Amino acid sequence: MTVLDYRLSQLDQLEAESIHIFRESAAEFERPVLMFSGGKDSIVMLRLAEKAFHPAKIPFPVLQVDTGRDFPEVLSTRDNWVNRLGVKLVIASVDDAIRDGIVVEDGKTSRNRMQIATLLHAIEDNGFTAAFGGGRRDEEKARAKERVYSHRDEFGQWDPKNQRPELWNLYNGRLHQGEHMRVFPISNWTELDIWDYIGREGIEIPSIYCSHQRRVFERDGMLLSESEWNTLREGETVTERTVRFRTVGDITLTGCVESGASTVDEIITEVATARVTERGATRGDDRFSEAAMEDRKKEGYF
């Protein structure tokens, strides 16, 4: 006698939950947008959105906040995805924001932090009422306490003490004039889930996530890339090492790790034994203080 097992795997359950969130949000909000950096999390998010609305096209644009310091491999992958899916790409440029006086380049503030005002201006300028983000609760403690529907006030700010309950996966998307919602469809995923899904779906990702040779130098316990924007300090020397990136962002603040993992299967094995999250290990902007991420999110960061 054949017994059929209709139970979903963990990955299938996560996929179904994310697709449900995309469909609910697209039906509820007038002008949603998907924040797309070209990194692994936003790529998985775009793949989920593609599945959620297939065979129709994705019914909202994608938004990238361009720091002007992004890895070229990431921008190339971004363009491949946008062209394949035929979605509208909205680019909010930090360089343009500096030129237009939206943010001030004082030589001290990182481009990563300048993304906050740049993003908020793009959301207001385009009238977006909801923005899908690729934040996951396992990444960082500020993100661990954020809801799937994360309310932002008329100034784009987040109040962690004033969050809406989400009992039985019921989401409250009510907004007043000028407010918007950040929506996190992959909030319950882990880094390992992301890589398992990339492997299962055969998803295209930037090549720098895999092992490669790179000229790097060590600063504050991280390996940073040699580039025109990374000026060496006294005592720092450049060496060539075999590395890969666990997360991608501003090249001046994103570190890599020494690794020989050159395939998705090898990366999955490596991530399964990791004891530090990718942001904790390789993002300089999260090391400024114990509450660096929460402080930025309160101001409007994604």
Side-chain angles (χ1 to χ4, degrees):
M1 174 177 157
T2 303
V3 178
L4 298 177
D5 187 354
Y6 293 103
R7 290 175 298 181
L8 297 177
S9 68
Q10 178 188 353
L11 214 52
D12 287 332
Q13 289 181 34
L14 289 169
E15 180 188 65
E17 178 187 54
S18 299
I19 287 174
H20 167 70
I21 293 168
F22 270 116
R23 290 173 177 169
E24 284 289 304
S25 303
E28 185 168 9
F29 297 107
E30 185 179 359
R31 290 181 61 83
V33 66
L34 188 149
M35 293 188 288
F36 185 64
S37 66
K40 67 182 188 308
D41 297 319
S42 63
I43 286 174
V44 165
M45 202 166 54
L46 193 58
R47 172 62 173 157
L48 290 164
E50 178 187 10
K51 282 192 168 188
F53 303 104
H54 181 80
K57 284 189 175 182
I58 295 173
F60 41 76
V62 298
L63 168 66
Q64 190 218 359
V65 182
D66 183 5
T67 66
R69 306 286 187 269
D70 294 309
F71 292 91
E73 296 90 344
V74 174
L75 297 180
S76 175
T77 305
R78 176 205 68 185
D79 292 341
N80 290 344
W81 273 90
V82 168
N83 293 334
R84 182 178 71 81
L85 295 178
V87 294
K88 178 183 177 182
L89 173 64
V90 178
I91 297 178
S93 168
V94 171
D95 284 328
D96 289 347
I98 293 170
R99 183 196 64 207
D100 296 339
I102 298 167
V103 295
V104 177
E105 189 166 35
D106 56 9
K108 299 177 182 178
T109 306
S110 72
R111 286 294 180 105
N112 191 283
R113 198 171 189 91
M114 291 181 192
Q115 289 182 97
I116 298 172
T118 307
L119 170 63
L120 294 178
H121 180 264
I123 289 174
E124 182 180 4
D125 198 43
N126 290 277
F128 295 131
T129 53
F132 296 105
R136 307 188 324 269
R137 287 183 175 137
D138 76 316
E139 283 184 284
E140 204 274 341
K141 56 190 176 184
R143 286 181 165 168
K145 60 185 179 184
E146 193 164 17
R147 303 287 195 263
V148 173
Y149 272 30
S150 183
H151 174 261
R152 296 297 194 272
D153 64 20
E154 64 270 27
F155 302 106
Q157 297 176 331
W158 174 58
D159 182 359
K161 295 182 180 180
N162 186 25
Q163 300 190 78
R164 299 172 180 180
E166 293 179 345
L167 304 175
W168 306 294
N169 291 337
L170 297 175
Y171 308 113
N172 180 358
R174 188 171 298 173
L175 297 172
H176 293 108
Q177 185 68 31
E179 298 176 342
H180 72 277
M181 195 73 71
R182 303 289 173 85
V183 181
F184 299 102
I186 60 171
S187 188
N188 291 326
W189 296 53
T190 66
E191 183 185 8
L192 187 57
D193 293 328
I194 293 292
W195 281 110
D196 282 336
Y197 195 73
I198 289 170
R200 189 184 83 173
E201 299 287 310
I203 292 173
E204 178 193 3
I205 56 172
S207 59
I208 58 175
Y209 278 113
C210 298
S211 176
H212 60 284
Q213 294 294 118
R214 179 173 291 265
R215 289 175 59 81
V216 298
F217 61 93
E218 189 167 347
R219 178 179 295 169
D220 299 328
M222 295 190 304
L223 293 177
L224 297 177
S225 300
E226 179 186 42
S227 77
E228 60 182 294
W229 300 298
N230 276 335
T231 304
L232 293 179
R233 299 172 183 171
E234 186 178 352
E236 294 178 341
T237 57
V238 175
T239 58
E240 186 166 299
R241 304 195 194 184
T242 303
V243 299
R244 75 174 192 87
F245 288 87
R246 290 180 66 187
T247 179
V248 295
D250 183 336
I251 196 170
T252 65
L253 289 170
T254 304
C256 49
V257 295
E258 291 194 88
S259 171
S262 58
T263 66
V264 172
D265 286 341
E266 290 174 347
I267 292 173
I268 289 172
T269 301
E270 183 179 273
V271 170
T273 60
R275 291 295 174 265
V276 181
T277 70
E278 67 263 48
R279 293 197 71 93
T282 62
R283 291 298 285 266
D285 45 328
D286 290 341
R287 297 186 173 200
F288 293 140
S289 74
E290 190 70 17
M293 170 63 83
E294 182 162 333
D295 291 341
R296 295 202 309 280
K297 288 186 75 66
K298 287 178 180 178
E299 295 173 16
Y301 188 73
F302 41 84

